[in-house]
Amino acid sequence: MGGWRNAVQEAAASKPLFLTIYTTIIVGIVATSFYVFSAIYSPSAPTSTQSISTSWLSSPPLSQNGGSNFSNNISQPTDKASQPGSNQLKTIWEAPPSNSKMPPLESFKLTKELVGERAKDNVIIVTFGNFAFMDFILTWVKHLTDLDVSNLLVGAMDTKLLEALYWKGVPVFDMGSHMSTIDVGWGSPTFHKMGREKVLLINAILPFGYELLMCDTDMVWLKDPLPYLAQYPDADILTSSDQVVPTVVDDRLADWKQVGAAYNIGIFHWRPTEPAIKLAKEWKDMLLADDKIWDQNGFNELARKQTGPAVDDDSGLFYAFDGTLKLGILPESIFCSGHTYFVQAMYEQLRLEPYALHTTFQYGGTEGKRHRLREAMVFYDPPEYYDAPGGFLSFKPSIPKSLLLDGEHNLESHFSLINYQMKQIRSALAIASLLNRTLVMPPLWCRLDRLWFSHPGVLEGSMTRQPFLCPLDHVFEVNVMLKDLPEEEFGPEINIREYSFLNNPLLPQQVKESWLDVQLCQEGTEDCHASSNTSRPGLLRFPKNSTEEMFKTVFSSFKDVKVIQFSSMQGAFYSFTDKAKRGNSGTV
C-alpha cells in the first residue's frame, strides 16, 4: 500500500546524533529568542513587522538542485528533531538551511517514532490535504503555533505539498496517496477518496497509543482546545456536529439527546481505547467495501447504532456504537460550524469564546470557504494580497431603516433589501473597473437565511437574528466571481476583497496611510466640480452622476493613492461611454 499505510512497522535504522545535548540547548535558546526575526519564512529578511507576520505564506523554495530529489544517497538534514518522548519539540517554522538538500521520501513515512517526536502529553493533532489546500494548511498551522500549540503533524497527499511544507519548517509526513495537486471539489469521486484516506489515517495512528485530534484543513483553531478536551478523560471519542439549534447555553458538552443533526467528522478527538479502535476498524472496513458511502455518513451510521444511556449524570458523555463506546458531542456554540459562527454568531450572543471555526454551511466551494475565513479575518494571505497593484476602492453603503427593519421578514422584504444593496455594488464594480482598482465589498445585510432545503426564512429554534450580517456567498456566487472568465464574454476582470479587509491587522501601514475620501456632492454647489483639486488633504468633493471620462480624468491624478473610499454609491456613476459596456443597464 506504500507510505504511511505501513506505519505500524517501526523504522529499523536509527539516525545518528549530530549535536551534543549542550549544543542543542544553546541553539534552542538562540532560535527561540530570534526566530521571528530570522529569514526562515522568505529568502530575504523581512523589512517590517508586517512582512514578518505573513512572508511565511510566500512560495516555498525548490530544492537546491532544481527539483525534488528523493535519492537514498542524499545526506540527512542537520537539524535533527528532539528524541521521542522528550516533549522538547523542534520549533515549527524553523526551515532547514537553504543550502541543504531534500531528504529521501522514505524518511517522511508515518511511524510511531515520528508521532512520538511531535506528541505532547500523549496527544497529537493532525490534518492532511493536497497542494491545492496549501494556504489552508499554513493557516491551520499558524493558528495553532500562535496559540503556542506545536504537537501537530500534517499529512501530505502529494509530494509537491510535502516538499513545500518541509521547506517551510512544518512537520509533515507522506501519506503515500499520490493524490492530484488540484482542488478536487466537494462530492467528487476524488473527494470521497480523500475521506477514505482520513479513515485509514485514523486506523494507522490509534495503535501507536496516542490521543488523536483529527481536523479538516478548512477549519481554524481560535483557542487552544486541548485543555477543554482533557476535561473529559473518560471519552473514547469527542466529535463536532452540524447542529444549528443550541442544546446548551454554556460551554458544557452538547445535550446528546437533543442533537438530531449529523456528527461532523471535520473536528474530532479519538483516544486509543479498545472501543474507539474497534469503531475505527469497522468504519474502515465499511468504506473500503463500498466506495459510494460518504465517510461522514458511514461514521454516523456506526456511531448511532446505539445512543444512550448517559455515562453519568454530569459529564454529558453517553454510550454509543456497540454500547461500550463513550461518546461526547462538542458544543455547537463554541466548536462552530459555518452556520453557528457566520449566520447566527451563536457564541457572541451567548457571550462565549469560540474554540474552532469550520467552514461548513457555505455555498461557494473552496473559494467560498477561503472568503468566509477572510471575512472573519482568520485567514493568512501573503503580503501582496494586502497591497494589490492599482490600489483599492471602497464605499460606505447606505440602507434605509425601513428596508432593514420595517414590515414582515419575507421574500419580498428580503429581496428588496438585497436588490437595494446590489445596485450600489454594481456602481462600485463599474467604478473599480474604470479605475483598475480592487473593490472592497461592503458588509451585506440579509433578512432571510440561505439554505439548500426548504425553510421558513430562518431555522426554527436557531439564534439567527433578523436582519443579520450575511456572508457574501449568501448573495453572490463567490466561486464564479473569482474565476478567470473570458473577457470578451464577461468583460474585464474586477478583483474583490472581503468587507473586513480594511480593518484587518495584517493591512500594511503604507496602505493605511495612503487614503483618499471622496465625498459625493451636487454639481454647482460649493467646491463641487470635476477636478483633482482637493478641498483639504485626503478629501475630494466629486459631482454625482459623473461620466466615465470625468472619472478617468480626475482620478488619474490619484493613481498612487492606495485606498479611495466613496462616501456613498447613490448616483455615483452615470454610465459607460461604450454602448457595449453599458448594455441595457442605463444609469448605474
Side-chain angles (χ1 to χ4, degrees):
M1 297 287 283
W4 62 271
R5 292 188 181 85
N6 294 324
V8 293
Q9 299 177 357
E10 292 285 336
S14 61
K15 299 179 182 178
L17 185 63
F18 291 101
L19 302 175
T20 66
I21 189 167
Y22 295 108
T23 305
T24 302
I25 293 171
I26 294 169
V27 171
I29 293 170
V30 173
T32 302
S33 303
F34 296 100
Y35 79 96
V36 295
F37 299 102
S38 70
I40 62 175
Y41 303 138
S42 62
S44 58
T47 56
S48 69
T49 303
Q50 197 60 52
S51 60
I52 289 170
S53 64
T54 57
S55 59
W56 53 275
L57 268 167
S58 59
S59 299
L62 295 175
S63 302
Q64 298 305 304
N65 59 359
S68 299
N69 188 343
F70 297 123
S71 166
N72 289 328
N73 296 323
I74 295 177
S75 60
Q76 296 296 313
T78 57
D79 52 336
K80 265 208 42 100
S82 58
Q83 294 303 305
S86 70
N87 284 336
Q88 296 298 313
L89 302 183
K90 179 171 177 272
T91 304
I92 297 175
W93 307 119
E94 185 180 339
S98 59
N99 60 352
S100 65
K101 293 181 179 180
M102 190 79 187
L105 184 60
E106 181 70 14
S107 65
F108 292 96
K109 187 168 69 171
L110 181 66
T111 63
K112 184 176 181 179
E113 179 187 35
L114 175 65
V115 176
E117 288 173 350
R118 296 305 318 175
K120 182 179 180 182
D121 298 327
N122 210 51
V123 179
I124 189 71
I125 309 172
V126 175
T127 193
F128 69 97
N130 64 358
F131 188 77
F133 288 87
M134 172 82 167
D135 53 351
F136 282 90
I137 290 168
L138 292 175
T139 293
W140 182 86
V141 174
K142 183 71 163 57
H143 274 279
L144 284 173
T145 55
D146 283 353
L147 294 167
D148 200 27
V149 177
S150 54
N151 48 322
L152 62 90
L153 279 170
V154 177
M157 303 185 78
D158 58 68
T159 52
K160 188 176 181 182
L161 175 65
L162 187 146
E163 181 174 1
L165 292 178
Y166 171 78
W167 288 111
K168 293 287 186 187
V170 174
V172 60
F173 64 91
D174 176 28
M175 292 180 65
S177 306
H178 308 294
M179 178 68 70
S180 166
T181 60
I182 63 172
D183 184 3
V184 297
W186 192 95
S188 67
T190 309
F191 171 85
H192 288 296
K193 181 178 184 293
M194 290 181 74
R196 280 149 178 74
E197 298 288 328
K198 177 192 292 184
V199 180
L200 292 169
L201 183 54
I202 291 168
N203 275 270
I205 293 177
L206 284 182
F208 295 161
Y210 295 99
E211 295 182 27
L212 170 64
L213 178 53
M214 175 61 69
C215 316
D216 284 355
T217 57
D218 62 341
M219 61 79 56
V220 295
W221 290 108
L222 306 174
K223 190 176 178 181
D224 180 1
L226 299 181
Y228 184 93
L229 302 175
Q231 294 179 92
Y232 304 97
D234 294 332
D236 297 303
I237 298 175
L238 294 166
T239 182
S240 59
S241 78
D242 288 335
Q243 183 72 16
V244 294
V245 176
T247 64
V248 292
V249 295
D250 51 26
D251 62 357
R252 292 175 297 163
L253 289 178
D255 183 345
W256 58 273
K257 294 186 291 295
Q258 296 184 41
V259 176
Y263 305 150
N264 190 293
I265 62 174
I267 306 171
F268 61 164
H269 179 256
W270 294 67
R271 287 193 171 89
T273 61
E274 185 178 336
I277 291 172
K278 181 182 177 184
L279 172 55
K281 184 181 183 307
E282 288 196 25
W283 188 20
K284 178 187 73 173
D285 293 343
M286 170 193 281
L287 296 182
L288 293 180
D290 186 349
D291 60 7
K292 293 183 176 62
I293 299 176
W294 181 24
D295 57 340
Q296 182 164 288
N297 287 349
F299 177 81
N300 275 266
E301 181 179 331
L302 290 172
R304 291 177 184 270
K305 276 185 177 180
Q306 177 177 330
T307 51
V311 171
D312 52 48
D313 294 334
D314 303 315
S315 68
L317 301 175
F318 64 100
Y319 289 104
F321 177 45
D322 61 356
T324 66
L325 182 126
K326 298 171 185 175
L327 182 64
I329 312 301
L330 297 168
E332 54 282 334
S333 58
I334 51 180
F335 290 84
C336 307
S337 69
H339 200 279
T340 61
Y341 189 94
F342 288 105
V343 177
Q344 299 185 55
M346 190 185 289
Y347 72 93
E348 189 177 77
Q349 296 195 67
L350 295 175
R351 301 295 188 265
L352 299 172
E353 293 183 16
Y355 280 86
L357 165 56
H358 190 191
T359 53
T360 54
F361 290 91
Q362 62 85 42
Y363 311 94
T366 301
E367 293 85 358
K369 292 173 183 284
R370 190 179 283 111
H371 194 85
R372 286 262 188 119
L373 294 174
R374 285 169 172 164
E375 287 183 332
M377 297 189 290
V378 295
F379 197 80
Y380 292 101
D381 282 290
E384 56 268 24
Y385 181 83
Y386 302 97
D387 193 1
F392 303 98
L393 177 79
S394 72
F395 70 96
K396 295 179 180 179
S398 171
I399 306 173
K401 168 187 167 293
S402 58
L403 285 178
L404 269 176
L405 302 172
D406 290 359
E408 255 184 70
H409 294 291
N410 54 32
L411 285 174
E412 184 179 354
S413 62
H414 172 71
F415 284 118
S416 294
L417 171 62
I418 294 300
N419 289 337
Y420 192 89
Q421 295 173 91
M422 288 181 72
K423 286 179 181 177
Q424 296 177 56
I425 293 170
R426 182 180 64 170
S427 294
L429 287 167
I431 295 170
S433 177
L434 285 178
L435 304 183
N436 294 314
R437 287 181 173 267
T438 295
L439 176 63
V440 179
M441 297 295 282
L444 283 171
W445 289 91
C446 293
R447 293 181 71 142
L448 300 183
D449 198 354
R450 175 183 178 179
L451 288 163
W452 52 85
F453 52 82
S454 299
H455 62 95
V458 294
L459 293 177
E460 190 175 348
S462 71
M463 297 184 70
T464 305
R465 294 170 286 193
Q466 292 177 285
F468 63 94
L469 190 65
C470 52
L472 189 67
D473 58 58
H474 265 48
V475 177
F476 291 91
E477 299 296 340
V478 177
N479 52 322
V480 178
M481 292 178 75
L482 297 176
K483 273 184 181 175
D484 290 328
L485 299 170
E487 185 171 337
E488 59 273 13
E489 184 178 355
F490 295 94
E493 180 182 13
I494 307 172
N495 292 317
I496 63 169
R497 292 291 186 268
E498 63 281 4
Y499 74 86
S500 57
F501 177 78
L502 296 175
N503 295 319
N504 196 310
L506 295 177
L507 195 71
Q509 198 64 29
Q510 70 264 22
V511 174
K512 295 177 184 178
E513 293 176 352
S514 181
W515 193 288
L516 176 68
D517 281 313
V518 178
Q519 188 178 79
L520 293 180
C521 53
Q522 198 63 44
E523 191 169 18
T525 58
E526 186 180 358
D527 293 330
C528 186
H529 43 78
S531 166
S532 59
N533 295 325
T534 57
S535 54
R536 71 169 188 260
L539 175 66
L540 174 69
R541 285 173 57 78
F542 188 70
K544 291 183 177 180
N545 297 314
S546 291
T547 63
E548 177 178 350
E549 288 306 316
M550 289 166 66
F551 268 94
K552 288 181 175 178
T553 300
V554 171
F555 287 97
S556 62
S557 301
F558 300 103
K559 282 185 177 179
D560 294 332
V561 174
K562 301 286 187 181
V563 182
I564 294 178
Q565 179 169 272
F566 278 72
S567 61
S568 171
M569 275 294 148
Q570 300 284 6
F573 178 52
Y574 181 70
S575 72
F576 290 102
T577 304
D578 187 340
K579 289 183 179 179
K581 288 183 183 178
R582 190 187 312 163
N584 297 319
S585 61
T587 303
V588 295

